[in-house]
Amino acid sequence: MADGSIEAADLRSDKELLDDEQLRLAAEVVNRVKTEGLETIRLAFADQHGVLRGKTIVADGLASAFRSGLAMTSTLLLKDTSHRTVFPVWEDNIGFGAGNLTGAGDVLIVPDPSTFKVLPWSPHSGWMLCDVRYKDGSKMPFCVRTALKDSVASLANDGYAMMCGLEFEFYVFRMENAHLSHADSGMPATPPETSLISHGYQYLTEARYDALEDVMDDLRRDCQKLGLPVRSMEAEFGPSQCEFTFEPASPLSQADDTVLFRSAVKQICARKGLHATFMCRPKLEGIVPSGWHMHQSIVDIKTGENLMMPETVDGLSPIAGNWIAGLLEHAPESCLLTTPTVNGYKRYQPFQLAPDRIQWGRDNKGAMIRGLMAPDDKASRIENRVAEPTANPYLFMASQILSGQDGIKRNLQAPAPVENPYTSDAANLPKSLIAALERFDASDFYPKTLGPELSAYISRIKHAEWDRYLMTVSEWEQREYFSLF
């Protein structure tokens, strides 16, 4: 065009990475970047752990990234939480076919223009989420964002959609010593030393919120500038423990917002001399484990009707019963996706407002699934309290969709609700990461629904993480045995 702006046609390529609507949005983004004078664009993708990785390009390179994608080292997809590559990339076949993700070669990340943001804490920077594809632009089974899209599409083919509202618990501490000497570098590095912003154990008191308000306000304002659906901010029970809740939205938008939210919280806090962590149970005095609660309702795509509204006070709608039954049946193997770290299983303790068994109850916060449903209540929903805040949101949400959908397809029936969740005879949740891995590996559910390649890939990475954990001598072992024997 005469004014130098870009049109959708200018961004087409032979690889057909973007559809017509995405091309239109991409042209808008390129023109906005130029008009607003942005200098750099962060192109990020959510890896297997839900951690954002990517590259930063200069603004003039954005059109090319839309046309051709951006090359990314494939080993980024093959790392455990220490950032060690756990697949034998120098062999001909690492388990997914000859030449697939071998040799530390490249894959492609393709920016999704609908996710474009300007970062409030770095106002010269644009930001976009990307999907991971093979070099030729074709879909790959190891992109977690694509896996969630496929799960959403599968549910839609049955005439349903899931809406979800999120509650995140996390800690924010003062940074006392970042441990940045050369000796502190490693895989992983030495963790920082921190101190409290606020004492805990005064749940939801205004005094505790006021002590945290400066941090809460900084986080809230930047989240709102990013368009994140923040609903409330709370001072949680633990010392310096916070909770943010999100308004209901679709699974993909919530998953996208989750990875941005967690990354934003850590970046905003770090720039202010603070340390934010979504680790479930940090090894610090007086810590209360953090959870991630997901509210879920199922709607009819054609009518928008909430299908979880019961006809009677004590009843369940057919869909609600099916959905709850599916989540319960697949809970053991799903724990690998909802609680993916060694640390997360230390939250499954009785009498701690966290679940330890596979059961549901009516408005009971000790049960894994909390039923919040009433006749004529358009907000009728269930709340799954099983997850830790570190969970990969794409895999967590996919696990909920696939499990609930299976309940509908097989017309599974929910058991009676529990009234005393910590004394019931319900089966226990897995008590460790290896127990969850064994349930995941023994089940054919996720190979059939997520796909055999993605399931084997996740299992391999988490086994490597567990094996590394086993080889580390703990403080408990040193205290227990060093003097005794």
Side-chain angles (χ1 to χ4, degrees), residues 32-84:
R32 179 181 171 187
V33 166
K34 182 177 180 180
T35 300
E36 296 185 14
L38 300 183
E39 299 173 20
T40 58
I41 312 295
R42 300 187 193 182
L43 299 181
F45 71 95
D47 75 359
Q48 52 277 16
H49 309 291
V51 172
L52 289 180
R53 298 181 184 268
K55 294 182 179 181
T56 300
I57 62 173
V58 297
D60 288 345
L62 181 56
S64 175
F66 279 130
R67 289 190 198 98
S68 307
L70 193 67
M72 194 66 55
T73 307
S74 60
T75 53
L76 295 176
L77 298 173
L78 305 176
K79 297 181 183 296
D80 70 3
T81 48
S82 74
H83 302 271
R84 287 176 169 86

Side-chain angles (χ1 to χ4, degrees), residues 295-311:
H295 295 254
Q296 307 170 29
S297 60
I298 305 304
V299 301
D300 185 299
I301 285 183
K302 292 182 179 179
T303 66
E305 178 188 0
N306 184 343
L307 299 176
M308 285 190 161
M309 283 191 294
E311 293 185 359

Side-chain angles (χ1 to χ4, degrees), residues 153-203:
S154 176
L155 187 62
N157 285 338
D158 291 344
Y160 307 114
M162 183 174 85
M163 296 294 290
C164 47
L166 309 181
E167 300 177 2
F168 303 96
E169 295 171 352
F170 58 98
Y171 280 93
V172 180
F173 302 113
R174 285 193 175 90
M175 180 76 76
E176 299 295 344
N177 184 350
H179 285 299
L180 291 175
S181 71
H182 292 293
D184 291 316
S185 179
M187 301 174 70
T190 304
E193 294 177 31
T194 59
S195 62
L196 299 177
I197 298 174
S198 167
H199 295 103
Y201 315 120
Q202 293 183 13
Y203 179 49

